[in-house]
Amino acid sequence: MTLNTFKRHVRESVKSLGRNGWMTFASASAVTVTLLLVGVFFVVMFNINYFAKKVEDDVEIRVHIDLTADSKEKDALRQRIEAIPNVKEVRYSSKDEELKRLIESMGEEGSSFRLFEQDNPLSDVYVVKAAHPQDTVGIAKRIETFPSVHKVNYGQGTVEKLFNALEVMRNVGLVLILGLLFTAMFLISNTIKITIFARRREIEIMRLVGATNGFIRWPFFLEGLWLGVLGSIVPIVVLALVYYNVYRLYEQQFSLQLFELLPFSPFIWQLSVLLLAIGAVIGVWGSVMSVRKFLKV
């Protein structure tokens, strides 16, 4: 296909959008509604995934060292822990640091523990982080078998349930988004089919004067592209405005809460590119499938 032919297809596709105004509006509206729903799901799921990752990254193993262990035995224990596959970091925390941490975590009631500052009964601790949060349980159980280990804490029972719950949330979200995308493709494809059916005489005339299948398809291919792009503009603008205001309000009112929202930038720009791409792909796919299968071009 020559450059002049491509330019002609572009001009014809743009003109066709204007000539078939109501059909263009119906198709673009279908893209808008479905992409708005898809965008809302993306915002929710990306933020849930962001929260899940932060929670997983905060999971750590606290290895309490036996009170009778000397410095050589402590060093040997550290080397054993560091040699375990998928151990990302091993940090030493003295018993004095552990007592200070306990006092701070208890708030006003923590002052009563200051009595132990002179005779600290706590153990020194190795704080271990796994390279992959899902490996935490396996690493902790292995450390429990090492000598000079008094106790290993990693949130036994709770961590396993947390990881399972987060995995279920991710899988359910993925299924919902995929289902919504396929629904969007089905709705938009049917809307474009109606548009093309209304123009069947135009296609028949083009075939009678000798136009090839490719020559007929290209304008519809480009129209689908424009419809997808046009239909994605409103969802992008609406989601950007709503998320910006929700993010600002959340930061002002709930900035110290456990759950954090994804920062407005670059998240909203990444989401905009994603929705634009999805709109373009769905529009093109709907046009191509409608022309090829429905009209048997």
Side-chain angles (χ1 to χ4, degrees), residues 63-67 77 123-124 144 146-152:
V63 183
H64 296 261
I65 305 170
D66 197 304
L67 291 172
L77 175 59
S123 302
D124 296 323
E144 286 176 336
F146 292 167
S148 303
V149 173
H150 171 62
K151 184 172 60 174
V152 175

Side-chain angles (χ1 to χ4, degrees), residues 71-272:
S71 58
K72 288 185 179 180
E73 289 172 329
K74 291 178 183 178
D75 291 339
L77 175 59
R78 180 171 191 144
Q79 290 173 7
R80 280 174 172 267
I81 296 173
E82 290 176 337
I84 299 175
N86 295 322
V87 168
K88 178 183 178 182
E89 177 188 352
V90 179
R91 178 174 57 82
Y92 177 75
S93 177
S94 69
K95 61 182 182 180
D96 292 333
E97 291 173 330
E98 289 297 296
L99 181 59
K100 182 179 178 181
R101 174 176 170 272
L102 176 63
I103 292 172
E104 290 176 351
S105 66
M106 295 294 291
E108 293 181 0
E109 297 178 1
S111 58
S112 59
F113 289 95
R114 294 190 181 279
L115 298 172
F116 297 104
E117 288 179 343
Q118 300 301 320
D119 187 17
N120 190 341
L122 300 180
S123 302
D124 296 323
V125 171
Y126 282 128
V127 181
V128 182
K129 279 189 152 310
H132 308 290
Q134 290 74 16
D135 296 327
T136 299
V137 177
I139 292 172
K141 291 187 179 299
R142 186 167 177 181
I143 294 174
E144 286 176 336
T145 64
F146 292 167
S148 303
V149 173
H150 171 62
K151 184 172 60 174
V152 175
N153 287 334
Y154 62 93
Q156 291 91 327
T158 304
V159 166
E160 291 92 332
K161 292 177 182 178
L162 174 65
F163 287 160
N164 290 336
L166 294 177
E167 189 65 25
V168 169
M169 288 169 63
R170 284 175 171 143
N171 291 335
V172 169
L174 180 61
V175 170
L176 288 174
I177 287 175
L178 289 176
L180 198 56
L181 284 174
F182 279 114
T183 303
M185 293 172 74
F186 175 77
L187 290 174
I188 292 167
S189 176
N190 281 345
T191 305
I192 294 175
K193 277 181 183 179
I194 296 172
T195 303
I196 294 174
F197 182 77
R199 297 164 58 189
R200 63 192 182 280
R201 283 181 58 83
E202 176 186 336
I203 295 173
E204 289 171 1
I205 292 171
M206 292 175 69
R207 297 186 71 179
L208 287 173
V209 297
T212 63
N213 288 347
F215 191 87
I216 295 172
R217 285 193 187 103
W218 262 100
F220 289 104
F221 175 90
L222 292 172
E223 281 183 49
L225 178 64
W226 308 142
L227 288 172
V229 171
L230 287 173
S232 65
I233 291 174
V234 172
I236 288 171
V237 173
V238 170
L239 288 171
L241 290 174
V242 172
Y243 191 78
Y244 175 75
N245 287 289
V246 169
Y247 180 77
R248 285 188 60 190
L249 180 64
Y250 191 87
E251 285 293 293
Q252 292 170 1
Q253 302 293 330
F254 309 102
S255 59
L256 299 179
Q257 298 297 318
L258 174 65
F259 189 87
E260 292 182 26
L261 293 176
L262 277 163
F264 177 80
S265 179
F267 168 62
I268 206 66
W269 310 119
Q270 295 167 345
L271 179 66
S272 298

